[in-house]
């Protein structure tokens, strides 16, 4: 399988979204790496539209659920319904049993809902009472959150943040891109029919994932990945400023995520092996939600991306 197999998916997303190439690439890397994506951005930046465009391009069921403070775990998982004619309970599946799940404003849900989502993301299964139900082979969570509006929100626990393979940050479009957005909106209003996109089958997707997992990574680059993650835990070995800024670093899951995403990035670029620039390109998305900065860093206005960029400049490339 070659990157051309994903061209219909790219074309459909490009027909709905102007710009945001890094965000689109993050969605594709997560899809090919069998991971989940956390999307952060201001309202109105087409986060939901992009996720829907991706889901429309893939064979499978899609469901969007708006997370609210009164949401219950059963609203996600499903519940047992008593069938009087049978005299027994029957399980009715919830939104988690869809292939692609958009969790809109995920940080508005309370802790019990977060824990239900955590089990699904971590184990690809859910538990109801004493029974465990497997989720589909193709199961991807794309969760959005607003970075500024904190009223009525619940902080995502670090354990759940770590289950997201990547965190994408969606920024404002440029002036030229915004003009194109207005043109796209006008053309969509005048369009009578929407032509359904050519959908990528699940068999094709799984074949692509096997091709991605076969991408070669040199042992020296595996050591480089480990050095990067180790440096988030022991920053004092590299720089005093890094040591002041970071409280907690990435876990071994971060190293695994870096290797998997680097393979997917190399495959998307049409390369047969991973190079250092593939690792550096996806490092911010893989690491930014796994680091916890100090109060001193926040007082100095240091962001996780600035910490990661400094880290990439200090850790030697083999």
């Amino acid at each position: 399988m070659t990157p051309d197999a994903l061209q219909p998916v790219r074309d459909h997303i490009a027909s709905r979204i102007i710009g945001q190439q890094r965000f689109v690439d993050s969605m594709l890397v997560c899809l090919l790496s069998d991971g989940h994506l956390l999307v952060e951005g201001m309202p109105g930046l087409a986060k939901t539209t992009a996720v829907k465009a991706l889901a429309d391009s893939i064979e499978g069921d899609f469901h969007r659920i708006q997370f609210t403070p009164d949401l219950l775990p059963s609203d996600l998982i499903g519940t047992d319904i008593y069938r009087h004619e049978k005299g027994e309970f029957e399980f009715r599946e919830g939104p988690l049993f869809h292939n692609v799940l958009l969790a809109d404003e995920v940080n508005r849900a309370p802790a019990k809902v977060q824990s239900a989502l955590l089990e699904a993301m971590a184990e690809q299964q859910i538990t109801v009472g004493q029974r465990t139900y497997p989720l589909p082979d193709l199961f991807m969570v794309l969760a959005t959150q607003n970075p500024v509006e904190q009223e009525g929100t619940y902080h995502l626990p670090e354990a759940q943040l770590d289950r997201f393979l990547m965190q994408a940050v969606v920024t404002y479009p440029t002036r030229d891109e915004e003009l194109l957005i207005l043109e796209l909106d006008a053309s969509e209003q005048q369009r009578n029919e929407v032509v359904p996109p050519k959908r990528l089958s699940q068999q094709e997707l799984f074949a692509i994932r096997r091709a991605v997992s076969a991408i070669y990574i040199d042992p020296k680059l595996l050591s480089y990945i480990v050095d990067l993650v180790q440096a988030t835990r022991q920053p004092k070995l590299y720089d005093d400023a890094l040591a002041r800024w970071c409280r907690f670093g990435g876990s071994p899951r971060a190293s695994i995520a870096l290797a998997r995403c680097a393979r997917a990035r190399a495959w998307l670029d049409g390369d047969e092996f991973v190079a250092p620039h593939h690792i550096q390109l996806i490092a911010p998305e893989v690491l930014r939600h796994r680091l916890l900065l100090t109060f001193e860093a926040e007082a100095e206005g240091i962001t996780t991306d600035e910490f990661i960029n400094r880290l990439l400049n200090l850790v030697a490339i083999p």
Side-chain angles (χ1 to χ4, degrees):
M1 301 292 287
T2 66
D4 292 338
L6 275 185
Q7 196 57 46
V9 178
R10 286 186 176 276
D11 291 343
H12 180 64
I13 296 176
S15 70
R16 303 296 312 281
I17 300 296
I18 302 297
Q20 305 294 358
Q21 191 57 51
R22 184 141 190 168
F23 171 37
V24 173
D25 286 345
S26 295
M27 289 197 300
L28 294 178
V29 167
C30 274
L31 177 67
L32 301 185
S33 303
D34 192 16
H36 309 290
L37 179 66
L38 179 63
V39 186
E40 184 175 288
M42 297 292 290
L45 296 183
K47 301 185 297 295
T48 301
T49 302
V51 173
K52 286 183 177 179
L54 175 67
D56 288 341
S57 307
I58 306 168
E59 178 191 26
D61 299 324
F62 168 74
H63 190 89
R64 174 188 177 273
I65 183 166
Q66 181 68 47
F67 277 47
T68 56
D70 61 347
L71 200 68
L72 298 174
S74 59
D75 295 327
L76 271 184
I77 297 172
T79 186
D80 285 323
I81 303 296
Y82 184 73
R83 297 294 186 185
H84 183 73
E85 63 276 11
K86 296 181 180 180
E88 60 183 26
F89 285 93
E90 180 179 300
F91 179 67
R92 178 174 292 176
E93 297 178 349
L96 281 180
F97 286 87
H98 290 77
N99 298 112
V100 180
L101 177 69
L102 170 58
D104 229 345
E105 295 188 285
V106 66
N107 55 335
R108 290 195 178 278
K112 286 186 177 181
V113 178
Q114 302 287 4
S115 63
L117 185 61
L118 176 61
E119 181 188 7
M121 293 170 59
E123 308 296 338
Q124 204 160 335
Q125 66 180 29
I126 60 96
T127 302
V128 180
Q130 297 181 345
R131 293 185 179 181
T132 298
Y133 300 90
L135 296 177
D137 292 334
L138 172 58
F139 175 66
M140 183 179 184
V141 175
L142 297 106
T144 69
Q145 66 175 9
N146 187 332
V148 293
E149 187 180 355
Q150 298 303 320
E151 184 177 352
T153 63
Y154 299 81
H155 175 70
L156 291 180
E158 281 68 23
Q160 182 162 350
L161 286 173
D162 201 32
R163 296 296 180 177
F164 286 100
L165 188 69
M166 302 174 72
Q167 180 186 8
V169 175
V170 183
T171 58
Y172 286 114
T174 64
R175 184 180 185 277
D176 291 339
E177 289 173 344
E178 196 154 353
L179 286 172
L180 292 174
I181 290 172
L182 295 181
E183 295 175 5
L184 177 63
D185 179 67
S187 65
E188 287 183 345
Q189 289 183 357
Q190 296 174 1
R191 192 182 306 167
N192 294 326
E193 294 183 1
V194 177
V195 179
K198 178 183 177 182
R199 307 183 85 185
L200 184 74
S201 70
Q202 292 189 27
Q203 290 76 14
E204 291 174 316
L205 175 57
F206 294 148
I208 292 174
R209 285 180 176 178
R210 289 192 293 270
V212 168
S213 64
I215 294 290
Y216 177 73
I217 299 185
D218 190 274
K220 292 182 180 178
L221 288 184
L222 291 176
S223 296
Y224 177 55
I225 289 174
V226 172
D227 288 342
L228 284 174
V229 177
Q230 288 281 336
T232 65
R233 303 175 208 156
Q234 300 174 318
K236 191 171 180 61
L237 298 177
Y238 294 87
D239 186 58
D240 289 338
L242 290 179
R244 294 200 321 271
W245 294 342
C246 189
R247 292 171 59 194
F248 298 104
S251 68
R253 192 177 286 120
S255 301
I256 295 171
L258 271 174
R260 287 168 58 185
C261 292
R263 284 190 173 97
R265 182 68 265 177
W267 187 89
L268 287 171
D269 290 345
D271 296 326
E272 297 181 355
F273 56 86
V274 173
H277 73 272
H278 295 131
I279 300 171
Q280 294 181 329
L281 187 62
I282 52 90
E285 280 80 5
V286 172
L287 295 177
R288 65 165 57 108
H289 58 296
R290 292 182 162 95
L291 305 180
L292 189 60
L293 300 186
T294 62
F295 295 113
E296 185 176 355
E298 294 178 3
E300 294 179 21
I302 302 299
T303 64
T304 52
D305 282 6
E306 289 172 331
F307 176 90
I308 293 168
N309 288 333
R310 189 179 181 92
L311 194 73
L312 293 172
N313 290 328
L314 291 175
V315 178
I317 300 174

